[in-house]
Amino acid sequence: MKSKYIIIGAGVSGLVSAYQLFMRGEADFVILEARDRIGGRVITQNNIDLGAVWFQQGHRNVVELLKHLNLGKFNQYASGKSILVYNTAAPAHYFESDQTQPSAYRISGGTVNLIDKLAAHIIDKIKLNTVVQDIKEVENKVQVLTKNGEFLGEKLIVTLPPKLAVKLKYIPELPEHLINTMLKTHTWMSNAIKVGISYERPFWREQSFSGTIIGQIGPVTELYDHVNADETNFSLMGFVNEGLRDVSPENRKERILSYLETYLGPQVRHYTNYIEKDWSQDVFTSCENLKSLYMSPQYGASVFKSFYMNDKLFFSGTETSPVFGGYLDGAVYSGVRAANYVLDN
Ligand SMILES: Cc1cc2nc3c(=O)[nH]c(=O)nc-3n(C[C@H](O)[C@H](O)[C@H](O)COP(=O)(O)OP(=O)(O)OC[C@H]3O[C@@H](n4cnc5c(N)ncnc54)[C@H](O)[C@@H]3O)c2cc1C
């Protein structure tokens, strides 16, 4: 299959690039996505954001994109008593958030709304279940080999996290300094385990709890209220202690519920839905040996500002962004930058 531009990856960055091409009047492109869904590290299941959730007012690229797409935002709920756990044997310590401080925001309808809005105009250009394996320079074109056949283009944007992108086979090989940087670039949040628990009522709010529980020593290191913008779906969502990665799912669930019960009461056990996602097990995000974690260098390395394969290959994705690299904002920035680069060069 031939198209002028090929984008690999339908996460925020790839979708933003595609949307930017579309907005600038370019229709000759295709997006190749390995998974059977779009969104990458954004996934909302049962109203729970198992990937990205929050943005801040300073995340200008996200703020502007949401305005442009006419998407709403709302404050992360933080009213009432929050709990700090620094010792599981000590009594609970309560604190209240300063309501005058700027809040973290959530996207109305879940972060997936951003994905769906971006994809709406370009959905017919996305090829799901298309795992890219090789990238080959063939005269003045690039050939992309996938498990579903070959694609030929003039310019290619690769949005995979650098640690995954470097594992593809490149002919000719990438320069060594680029390979070294890619190998060292940690994939943001690829080690995270998330949990979401839904209820018929927001029982914690009814008892003047905010739903926030913070503490590095318990089975859940951070927990937050995750009620949707319309206040029709009542959930708590948090990060699971990575020390529980290797215990059985039943054991992990029991330890999580028992811990939360200590602080929020027996209603914790009367859930309507329980869901977990360990991103380290997801081969299209993570490839780390998680016995330890090394997070350096900073994101947005200068090697990602250049084209490779004689001006045909450009790397994008949040880890390549000098602006809020790792975050949604970095993904949006890199997506716009990549599309403008390939169109203008
Ligand atoms: C648990 C978690 C919580 C987070 N919380 C926040 C938050 O609150 N706020 C925030 O700003 N950010 C947060 N983030 C980060 C945010 O999700 C990312 O910055 C953003 O989604 C990255 O988008 P991306 O397009 O650069 O990369 P990705 O979303 O990783 O997209 C890459 C795409 O490439 C695809 N792909 C991989 N391999 C191949 C292959 N061989 N062939 C074809 N396609 C392939 C993948 O399936 C994926 O769709 C969080 C991330 C996680 C995991």
Side-chain angles (χ1 to χ4, degrees), residues 136-208:
K136 197 171 168 185
E137 186 178 13
V138 193
E139 292 167 15
N140 59 346
K141 300 248 190 295
V142 257
Q143 189 184 45
V144 178
L145 271 76
T146 78
K147 288 188 179 168
N148 289 353
E150 291 176 17
F151 294 80
L152 200 64
E154 290 172 24
K155 298 223 168 161
L156 174 64
I157 300 173
V158 175
T159 74
L160 277 52
K163 272 206 174 169
L164 287 184
V166 76
K167 284 184 182 286
L168 304 178
K169 186 172 171 200
Y170 297 85
I171 304 170
E173 281 183 10
L174 297 175
E176 208 176 314
H177 69 284
L178 173 64
I179 294 178
N180 289 339
T181 303
M182 291 171 92
L183 284 171
K184 277 196 265 172
T185 305
H186 171 68
T187 308
W188 181 244
M189 287 286 174
S190 57
N191 49 307
I193 312 171
K194 272 208 168 178
V195 60
I197 317 175
S198 305
Y199 296 92
E200 264 166 18
R201 302 194 54 77
F203 67 88
W204 57 96
R205 288 189 182 187
E206 290 162 1
Q207 294 164 29
S208 302

Side-chain angles (χ1 to χ4, degrees), residues 195-199 203 213 219-220 223 236 240 244 249-276:
V195 60
I197 317 175
S198 305
Y199 296 92
F203 67 88
I213 304 181
V220 179
L223 186 82
L236 295 164
V240 177
L244 294 187
E250 299 76 32
N251 186 339
R252 188 168 50 241
K253 182 172 172 182
E254 176 49 33
R255 283 160 77 171
I256 288 169
L257 292 174
S258 155
Y259 173 77
L260 297 181
E261 188 179 3
T262 310
Y263 298 100
L264 298 179
Q267 277 143 302
V268 161
R269 293 197 177 268
H270 303 301
Y271 57 84
T272 52
N273 188 60
Y274 178 100
I275 188 167
E276 287 180 6

Side-chain angles (χ1 to χ4, degrees), residues 54-85:
W54 302 284
F55 66 98
Q56 314 278 343
Q57 198 54 36
H59 291 172
R60 300 303 315 163
N61 299 289
V62 170
V63 170
E64 277 160 31
L65 182 60
L66 292 180
K67 260 192 219 149
H68 170 83
L69 295 173
N70 212 8
L71 285 170
K73 64 173 193 209
F74 65 112
N75 290 338
Q76 169 63 45
Y77 184 84
S79 311
K81 285 181 290 180
S82 297
I83 299 167
L84 179 66
V85 182

